[in-house]
Amino acid sequence: MLKQTPLNAVHRAAGARMVDFGGWDMPVHYGSQIDEHHAVRRDAGMFDVSHMRAVDLSGAGAREFLRYALANNVDKLKDSGRALYSCLLRPDGGVLDDLIVYFLREDFFRIVVNAGTTDKDVAWFRRLLGERAPRLTLSPRDDLAMIAVQGPHARAKVWAALPGSDAATAEMKPFFGREVDTGAGPAFVARTGYTGEDGFEVMVPAARAEATWNALVAAGVRPCGLGARDTLRLEAGMNLYGQDMDESTSPLAAGLAWTVDLASPRDFVGKAALVAHPPARRLTGLLLQDAGGVLRAHQKVGTAHGDGEVTSGTFSPTLGKSIALASLPTEVAAGDVVHVAVRDKRLAARVVKPPFVRNGKVLVS
Amino acid sequence: MNVPAHLKYADSHEWMRAEADGTVTVGITDHAQAALGDLVFIELPAVGRALKAGEACAVVESVKAASDVYAPIAGEVVAVNADVTGTPESVNQDAYAAWLFRVKPADPGALATMLDAAAYTKLISEA
């Protein structure tokens, strides 16, 4: 039996094509994945991401615990509401998950983790808490629904749909979140996302998910499925956990060195392993030059410095070309031409530095 | 789901139409295009290629996946629809207008053995 979000019936009524996404019954598109993709780049679209889980950490010493538990440094979070992207690492440096942590108060942080990894993340956090901070409380928020509203007009449409959110979030900078009183009840509104566009991620109690979704539709936000979410995140050069990285991958090999703080004296889970084992590969972008197919995960990549592999590939609706993230030997540089095995052909692709697209603008050529 | 009554079907989701000159036109069904989603790449067989029944002979790729198209009957490829390689989305718009290739059947009786619309409708409703 697949798990359902509070919006399942809404998706079915809207004619969504539903798929099994890591055990969840989720919409892949509502008609055209490409049209939904363009709606986010040009106007505003929304995704039901209620399968992802907010996990609240509360109690005195929460920051000190996260300083050790996360690869990125929560000391960067000085202002209330500030968010930080981080990997959660195993002691051997492998990536357990990637997440966003919001600093709300010294004794209250909200962590948003991936759907398929929620159970192992919570178990890992609890084990670590038992060892280091048994008085902190960890609360998975199964009672919340999450809607990501993304696109150049996304914020204005959220303000139209959720009374009171305008005044509370108009001045809020990117990568901040806060609790908002919408009149219908509280919502947590964060200026974050997974598309490379401006927008909000909105969390509301599950009971208000449907009303919130319908208000957003009425405000002109287009429902989008996980298909468009994948092409948007790939254009934005963002990793997908389980595909571009997993427990066997170092974040340094997954293009996430910028999120790992090795400079400060702070110790954290996985640090010693990362320092001891510099990666032989790194994640980079590919832009397909030849006609003849679409780049896909697991295709072999031949380079002058040895073989690599595509980790995520797709057709980019914004570029009208196939793009990919690929794990390649570290000697391969941007501008190099490599060859990807696509069925019985070897197709030329150029190595580029992601992202491919941000804020509606193409950044590679 | 659109399953025109005058066509024949393969359980691998190709449609076939008998032409007046004895050739058979092949495309993918509306059900197949809907399952694949937005198509972005199509590769067709070379004209003159001899196809065995059930042989993978064309590729359709959507944003999310690549899928083989199979020769539903044996025969020689006598024509391909070059227009669809430039506009793969035309298959999403009308899967029965956007044909892929045409074969001269090795066995003129082969088409009669394929699924009719009722049998294909039953097949996809059970899937």
Side-chain angles (χ1 to χ4, degrees):
Chain A
M1 180 70 186
L2 294 178
K3 288 177 271 193
Q4 297 186 352
T5 75
L7 292 165
N8 190 273
V10 179
H11 302 318
R12 291 184 171 278
R17 188 169 191 93
M18 307 295 286
V19 293
D20 176 353
F21 182 82
W24 289 82
D25 187 41
M26 298 300 287
V28 63
H29 63 71
Y30 299 79
S32 167
Q33 175 174 339
I34 288 179
D35 290 352
E36 290 164 18
H37 179 107
H38 290 316
V40 171
R41 286 273 177 258
R42 297 167 185 168
D43 182 19
M46 64 178 159
F47 308 86
D48 176 13
V49 288
S50 305
H51 57 315
M52 296 179 67
R53 188 63 61 233
V55 181
D56 291 342
L57 180 69
S58 54
R63 183 189 294 271
E64 192 188 344
F65 171 75
L66 291 173
R67 198 183 284 135
Y68 178 72
L70 302 183
N72 209 340
N73 192 347
V74 289
D75 283 341
K76 294 174 185 169
L77 303 176
K78 294 190 168 64
D79 301 322
S80 173
R82 189 90 171 95
L84 182 73
Y85 173 82
S86 180
C87 286
L88 182 67
L89 300 181
R90 292 159 41 116
D92 69 0
V95 183
L96 268 175
D97 201 2
D98 62 339
L99 54 82
I100 288 181
V101 56
Y102 298 90
F103 160 54
L104 299 173
R105 295 190 309 269
E106 268 320 309
D107 62 351
F108 188 84
F109 289 73
R110 172 162 287 177
I111 304 163
V112 178
V113 300
N114 282 300
T117 49
T118 297
D119 292 346
K120 77 167 183 183
D121 291 357
V122 169
W124 172 250
F125 273 125
R126 288 205 196 285
R127 193 177 129 194
L128 217 50
L129 284 166
E131 289 168 9
R132 301 184 65 95
R135 282 169 314 182
L136 293 181
T137 306
L138 192 74
S139 312
R141 298 296 304 271
D142 304 359
D143 56 315
L144 295 180
M146 210 179 309
I147 301 170
V149 192
Q150 303 278 293
H153 303 144
R155 291 194 305 147
K157 291 183 179 188
V158 168
W159 293 331
L162 302 181
S165 63
D166 185 348
T169 64
E171 301 299 321
M172 194 166 73
K173 296 193 191 99
F175 252 69
F176 273 84
R178 63 176 297 183
E179 199 80 31
V180 169
D181 184 3
T182 67
F188 183 80
V189 178
R191 199 168 171 190
T192 46
Y194 191 50
T195 61
E197 296 297 324
D198 200 355
F200 287 137
E201 293 180 297
V202 180
M203 297 177 210
V204 294
R208 288 213 336 273
E210 196 168 329
T212 304
W213 183 271
N214 291 336
L216 288 162
V217 170
V221 181
R222 180 171 181 147
C224 299
L226 295 184
R229 189 168 163 83
D230 192 54
T231 50
L232 288 158
R233 71 90 192 168
L234 192 42
E235 285 186 351
M238 295 171 176
N239 291 7
L240 173 61
Y241 188 80
Q243 193 161 321
D244 301 303
M245 58 190 173
D246 59 25
E247 291 185 23
S248 70
T249 320
S250 156
L252 306 180
L256 299 177
W258 63 278
T259 72
V260 179
D261 163 42
L262 291 176
S264 82
R266 173 186 72 108
D267 189 27
F268 58 87
V269 177
K271 182 180 185 181
L274 295 186
V275 171
H277 306 290
R281 293 203 175 183
R282 87 176 146 189
L283 204 65
T284 185
L286 294 182
L287 193 57
L288 186 64
Q289 308 289 290
D290 288 342
V294 177
L295 300 173
R296 307 276 181 198
H298 310 304
Q299 288 165 348
K300 265 229 157 108
V301 183
T303 83
H305 306 281
D307 285 351
E309 190 182 86
V310 173
T311 56
S312 285
T314 193
F315 175 83
S316 156
T318 305
L319 276 73
K321 287 182 182 173
S322 185
I323 60 170
L325 293 175
S327 176
L328 303 182
T330 49
E331 295 85 358
V332 177
D336 288 0
V337 172
V338 298
H339 290 88
V340 186
V342 179
R343 288 183 292 277
D344 56 343
K345 295 186 281 269
R346 280 175 82 246
L347 304 183
R350 203 155 46 78
V351 176
V352 296
K353 189 177 165 4
F356 302 90
V357 181
R358 275 286 164 96
N359 297 116
K361 288 193 190 66
V362 172
L363 302 179
V364 295
S365 56
Chain B
M1 206 54 71
N2 184 10
V3 183
H6 66 286
L7 301 177
K8 290 286 203 174
Y9 299 89
D11 56 11
S12 47
H13 306 290
E14 292 83 18
W15 58 262
M16 288 151 277
R17 183 177 65 220
E19 304 298 343
D21 62 0
T23 62
V24 172
T25 301
V26 180
I28 64 167
T29 65
D30 189 42
H31 173 80
Q33 71 75 22
L36 286 163
D38 291 316
L39 294 181
V40 293
F41 175 78
I42 295 179
E43 187 172 85
L44 297 174
V47 172
R49 179 171 158 189
L51 302 175
K52 294 191 280 264
E55 178 182 356
C57 65
V59 176
V60 288
E61 293 207 41
S62 70
V63 183
K64 61 179 196 228
S67 182
D68 286 323
V69 178
Y70 300 93
I73 57 174
E76 181 192 333
V77 178
V78 292
V80 296
N81 184 3
D83 290 349
V84 297
T85 57
T87 56
E89 66 275 15
S90 61
V91 176
N92 295 115
Q93 285 149 10
D94 187 346
Y96 300 108
W99 59 282
L100 299 183
F101 55 93
R102 196 165 282 158
V103 294
K104 184 168 185 290
D107 170 9
L111 192 60
T113 67
M114 305 307 288
L115 302 175
D116 63 12
Y120 183 67
T121 302
K122 184 161 181 287
L123 177 86
I124 60 178
S125 62
E126 284 167 355

PDB file of all heavy atoms in Angstrom, chain A residues 60 125 182 192 199 225 242 297:
ATOM      1  N   ALA A  60      17.413  23.221  25.167  1.00  0.00           N
ATOM      2  CA  ALA A  60      18.664  23.962  25.348  1.00  0.00           C
ATOM      3  C   ALA A  60      19.821  23.121  24.824  1.00  0.00           C
ATOM      4  O   ALA A  60      19.892  21.925  25.088  1.00  0.00           O
ATOM      5  CB  ALA A  60      18.861  24.311  26.820  1.00  0.00           C
ATOM      6  N   PHE A 125      19.513  10.456  14.074  1.00  0.00           N
ATOM      7  CA  PHE A 125      19.494  11.603  14.992  1.00  0.00           C
ATOM      8  C   PHE A 125      19.231  11.135  16.427  1.00  0.00           C
ATOM      9  O   PHE A 125      19.867  11.593  17.370  1.00  0.00           O
ATOM     10  CB  PHE A 125      18.395  12.602  14.590  1.00  0.00           C
ATOM     11  CG  PHE A 125      18.835  13.612  13.565  1.00  0.00           C
ATOM     12  CD1 PHE A 125      18.130  13.778  12.373  1.00  0.00           C
ATOM     13  CD2 PHE A 125      19.943  14.434  13.783  1.00  0.00           C
ATOM     14  CE1 PHE A 125      18.521  14.716  11.430  1.00  0.00           C
ATOM     15  CE2 PHE A 125      20.344  15.389  12.845  1.00  0.00           C
ATOM     16  CZ  PHE A 125      19.629  15.527  11.663  1.00  0.00           C
ATOM     17  N   THR A 182      -2.099  33.309   8.949  1.00  0.00           N
ATOM     18  CA  THR A 182      -2.787  33.585   7.681  1.00  0.00           C
ATOM     19  C   THR A 182      -4.257  33.940   7.855  1.00  0.00           C
ATOM     20  O   THR A 182      -4.977  34.068   6.889  1.00  0.00           O
ATOM     21  CB  THR A 182      -2.729  32.356   6.758  1.00  0.00           C
ATOM     22  OG1 THR A 182      -3.516  31.321   7.344  1.00  0.00           O
ATOM     23  CG2 THR A 182      -1.305  31.885   6.550  1.00  0.00           C
ATOM     24  N   THR A 192      12.571  29.289   0.187  1.00  0.00           N
ATOM     25  CA  THR A 192      13.507  28.248  -0.234  1.00  0.00           C
ATOM     26  C   THR A 192      12.846  27.443  -1.347  1.00  0.00           C
ATOM     27  O   THR A 192      11.670  27.646  -1.663  1.00  0.00           O
ATOM     28  CB  THR A 192      13.841  27.316   0.951  1.00  0.00           C
ATOM     29  OG1 THR A 192      12.627  26.966   1.616  1.00  0.00           O
ATOM     30  CG2 THR A 192      14.773  27.967   1.937  1.00  0.00           C
ATOM     31  N   GLY A 199      10.680  31.905  -4.752  1.00  0.00           N
ATOM     32  CA  GLY A 199       9.425  31.292  -4.336  1.00  0.00           C
ATOM     33  C   GLY A 199       9.418  30.959  -2.866  1.00  0.00           C
ATOM     34  O   GLY A 199      10.342  31.315  -2.126  1.00  0.00           O
ATOM     35  N   GLY A 225       3.950  18.405 -11.343  1.00  0.00           N
ATOM     36  CA  GLY A 225       4.290  17.105 -10.785  1.00  0.00           C
ATOM     37  C   GLY A 225       5.776  16.952 -10.515  1.00  0.00           C
ATOM     38  O   GLY A 225       6.586  17.832 -10.818  1.00  0.00           O
ATOM     39  N   GLY A 242      20.100   9.922  -3.414  1.00  0.00           N
ATOM     40  CA  GLY A 242      19.780   8.581  -3.886  1.00  0.00           C
ATOM     41  C   GLY A 242      20.142   8.399  -5.346  1.00  0.00           C
ATOM     42  O   GLY A 242      20.203   7.276  -5.838  1.00  0.00           O
ATOM     43  N   ALA A 297      20.792   8.640 -16.286  1.00  0.00           N
ATOM     44  CA  ALA A 297      21.590   8.068 -15.198  1.00  0.00           C
ATOM     45  C   ALA A 297      22.168   6.722 -15.609  1.00  0.00           C
ATOM     46  O   ALA A 297      21.523   5.954 -16.326  1.00  0.00           O
ATOM     47  CB  ALA A 297      20.725   7.895 -13.953  1.00  0.00           C
TER      48      ALA A 297
END
